[in-house]
């Protein structure tokens, strides 16, 4: 078979009339730092002579150099267009994400709320919200969708809509997470995404906090200068279709703080690439003035993260939500 191919090739008529050839690479050196071969120009069958001259070589080299610059500029323009398209997509995704967040926390007797999402250089997909039910109950959620794209932002919008419908149905925190997971599983699987989510319900009259966790960082309760984690078992949203989530309760006391946060807080990096860590966050919280408001503690956390990170670019959103209990 290979012999037949070789025989067929050798029996083909020659395409070129003469035996002289001239080949010149198209080389471009941006900023005279790096040589890039953009292609090769080949010439043969010179009409006026059987041989190419040194003058032909100089002329073809000049043409090749100009052609290389033109090709490089064309590629550069295409790269800029792609970068602008990606940048615009990120801006749209960030607008979608920021539009999902509450403008301001609700005001309920006996408590104070504060929350903020500091967006990353790229879209991170963080989300937090409050769900007041008259003046007796308050739902709180903090979540983070995987990925950094318009698709991730749209998925969080879908999750927000689904979550709200489950909250309106007055279900328990564990049931809310289970039904939200069931409703979003197919879409998350197709998109190859998942969501971490923590949901809590606070009763104003009894000061009871009920909560369930779907793979989110455990919120921290500050009481008398000491930190305690709200730890429960639960799987990420979108990993399995049918999941049972553990639900726990805790009675809060006057001057207690509950700090909800996403992984962008503890994974914030300084200029040396070192993370902020959970230990540093705990230290910031434990040394806070117990007379501080929810907003003041929120500001202190962000100030400490900002001082630690300096001018380092944020690779993920930094989201914190603070609940303080009064008499």
């Amino acid at each position: 078979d290979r012999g037949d191919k070789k025989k067929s090739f050798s029996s083909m008529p020659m395409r070129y009339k003469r035996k002289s050839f001239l080949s010149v690479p198209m080389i471009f050196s941006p900023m005279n730092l790096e040589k890039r071969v953009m292609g090769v120009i080949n010439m043969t069958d010179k009409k006026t002579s059987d041989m190419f001259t040194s003058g032909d070589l100089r002329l073809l080299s000049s043409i090749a150099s100009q052609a290389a610059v033109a090709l490089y500029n064309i590629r550069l323009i295409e790269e800029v267009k792609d970068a602008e398209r990606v940048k615009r997509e990120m801006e749209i995704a960030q607008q979608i994400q920021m539009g999902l967040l509450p403008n301001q926390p609700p005001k309920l007797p006996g408590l104070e709320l504060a929350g903020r999402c500091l967006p990353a250089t790229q879209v991170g997909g963080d989300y937090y919200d409050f769900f007041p039910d008259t003046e007796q109950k308050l739902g709180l959620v903090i979540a983070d969708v995987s990925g950094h794209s318009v698709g991730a932002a749209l998925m969080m919008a879908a999750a927000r809509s689904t979550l709200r419908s489950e909250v309106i149905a007055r279900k328990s925190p564990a049931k809310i997470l289970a039904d939200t997971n069931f409703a979003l599983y197919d879409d998350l699987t197709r998109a190859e995404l998942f969501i971490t989510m923590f949901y809590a319900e606070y009763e104003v009259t009894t000061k009871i906090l009920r909560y369930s966790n779907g793979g989110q960082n455990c919120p921290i309760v500050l009481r008398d200068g000491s930190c305690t984690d709200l730890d429960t078992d639960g799987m990420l949203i979108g990993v399995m279709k049918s999941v049972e989530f553990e639900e726990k309760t805790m009675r809060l006391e006057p001057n207690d703080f509950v700090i909800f946060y996403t992984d962008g807080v503890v994974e914030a990096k300084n200029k040396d690439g070192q993370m902020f860590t959970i230990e540093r966050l705990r230290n910031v919280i434990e040394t806070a003035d117990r007379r501080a408001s929810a907003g003041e503690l929120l500001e202190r956390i962000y100030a400490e993260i900002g001082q630690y990170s300096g001018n380092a670019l944020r690779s993920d959103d930094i989201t914190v939500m603070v609940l303080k209990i009064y008499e």
Side-chain angles (χ1 to χ4, degrees), residues 114-116 284 293-306 320 322:
R116 182 188 303 170
V284 172
S293 65
E296 288 171 341
L297 179 55
L298 183 79
E299 292 295 335
R300 181 179 180 186
I301 292 172
Y302 275 100
E304 292 290 340
I305 295 172
V320 181
V322 178

Side-chain angles (χ1 to χ4, degrees), residues 28-227:
F28 177 66
S29 300
M31 306 296 293
N32 294 321
L33 296 176
E34 178 187 3
K35 290 185 178 181
R36 297 189 180 184
V37 179
M38 310 302 294
V40 178
I41 297 179
N42 295 318
M43 296 188 68
T44 188
D45 294 344
K46 185 177 179 181
K47 291 184 178 181
T48 58
S49 173
D50 286 339
M51 302 296 294
F52 287 101
T53 66
S54 59
D56 296 329
L57 177 60
R58 287 193 297 270
L59 176 60
L60 189 58
S61 297
S62 177
I63 295 172
S65 178
Q66 296 179 34
V69 173
L71 287 173
Y72 179 81
N73 288 337
I74 290 172
R75 291 186 183 180
L76 193 61
I77 291 171
E78 291 301 320
E79 290 175 0
V80 170
K81 287 181 179 179
D82 289 341
E84 288 296 326
R85 176 183 57 78
V86 172
K87 180 182 178 182
R88 180 55 183 160
E89 286 185 356
M90 292 298 101
E91 290 174 350
I92 293 172
Q94 198 168 84
Q95 290 172 4
I96 294 172
Q97 179 193 5
M98 292 295 104
L100 301 177
L101 305 179
N103 293 325
Q104 58 184 10
K107 295 182 179 180
L108 295 172
L111 61 87
E112 184 185 19
L113 295 162
R116 182 188 303 170
C117 174
L118 187 62
T121 306
Q122 296 180 333
V123 177
D126 282 10
Y127 165 65
Y128 74 92
D129 211 345
F130 309 104
F131 305 101
D133 180 9
T134 65
E135 294 185 352
Q136 302 303 317
K137 290 184 179 181
L138 170 70
L140 307 101
V141 65
I142 188 165
D144 184 6
V145 62
S146 61
H148 300 77
S149 65
V150 174
L154 292 174
M155 185 56 67
M156 184 54 77
R160 176 178 182 264
S161 177
T162 301
L163 181 66
R164 282 175 172 259
S165 66
E166 300 298 334
V167 172
I168 292 173
R170 298 176 181 271
K171 300 177 180 179
S172 68
K175 184 64 172 173
I176 285 174
L177 289 189
D179 289 352
T180 298
N181 173 77
F182 186 85
L184 295 175
Y185 175 79
D186 290 338
D187 290 339
L188 286 168
T189 300
R190 283 192 294 267
E192 297 183 345
L193 298 172
F194 62 84
I195 299 173
T196 61
M197 184 179 295
F198 186 98
Y199 186 84
E201 180 185 81
Y202 177 69
E203 293 184 1
V204 175
T205 55
T206 63
K207 291 185 171 58
I208 295 293
L209 185 73
R210 292 182 173 84
Y211 54 92
S212 289
N213 196 353
Q216 182 58 258
N217 297 86
C218 297
I220 297 171
V221 175
L222 175 65
R223 176 178 295 173
D224 298 329
S226 179
C227 287

